[in-house]
Amino acid sequence: MEFKMTENGFEADVEYGTLEISGNAEYGYRPFQLLVSSIAVCSGGVLRKVLERMRMQYDDITVQAKINRVEKEANRVSDIHLHFLIKGKELSEEKVEKALNVTRKNCSMVQSVKDSINITESFEIQLSNECPDSL
């Protein structure tokens, strides 16, 4: 990847389009947002594949990320808590817990930062018949 300086940050041309990055949210994605997004979405994508391989049916996965930053240490990201809201039918807490353990081991972004950022996970199961928008 190549990042070119702009008036307000940097940009990179990637397959999907131009990625604009800036310390100022008015001009692009902030670097910490990209870091957290990479970890959350990688985890969600791997969880999706693991659930499919385990033949667990789901309708939707939402990943909520809570971030702690240490202001005295260059405002570094110290902790990320990922909360997965998984909607589906006949989802077992025990099987979802196993799926998350496999996810943690197979998410390249989590594995890349595991020694410098404390990453924790939790999950909540919402049965499809409890979802107001399901038919």
Side-chain angles (χ1 to χ4, degrees):
M1 293 181 79
E2 181 175 86
F3 298 89
K4 296 180 182 176
M5 188 173 76
T6 65
E7 185 176 336
N8 297 302
F10 287 83
E11 68 181 24
D13 290 322
V14 294
E15 293 84 0
Y16 190 69
T18 300
L19 179 61
E20 296 181 21
I21 307 161
S22 176
N24 184 334
E26 291 180 35
Y27 300 108
Y29 295 102
R30 295 185 60 205
F32 90 91
Q33 292 172 323
L34 295 171
L35 174 70
V36 174
S37 297
S38 296
I39 293 165
V41 173
C42 178
S43 295
V46 173
L47 177 61
R48 182 182 199 167
K49 290 179 184 177
V50 171
L51 291 174
E52 288 171 2
R53 287 187 184 140
M54 293 176 74
R55 293 187 167 88
M56 294 180 65
Q57 294 185 2
Y58 63 90
D59 296 321
D60 191 36
I61 299 172
T62 299
V63 185
Q64 300 169 335
K66 290 187 180 177
I67 306 105
N68 286 332
R69 299 179 77 179
V70 181
E71 191 172 327
K72 293 179 182 179
E73 296 177 18
N75 214 13
R76 76 175 181 88
V77 175
S78 61
D79 301 272
I80 300 173
H81 179 76
L82 302 175
H83 181 73
F84 297 87
L85 176 59
I86 306 163
K87 296 178 184 177
K89 298 176 184 171
E90 302 176 19
L91 292 170
S92 152
E93 284 199 23
E94 184 179 313
K95 287 183 179 180
V96 170
E97 183 71 43
K98 287 180 183 177
L100 272 177
N101 287 332
V102 172
T103 296
R104 188 177 310 113
K105 293 176 186 173
N106 289 284
C107 172
S108 61
M109 296 296 100
V110 169
Q111 291 302 308
S112 295
V113 301
K114 70 179 182 180
D115 294 328
S116 58
I117 299 174
N118 180 41
I119 299 176
T120 55
E121 298 102 354
S122 61
F123 67 91
E124 182 180 340
I125 295 173
Q126 186 173 19
L127 299 178
S128 290
N129 58 1
E130 295 176 4
C131 302
D133 55 341
S134 65
L135 300 175

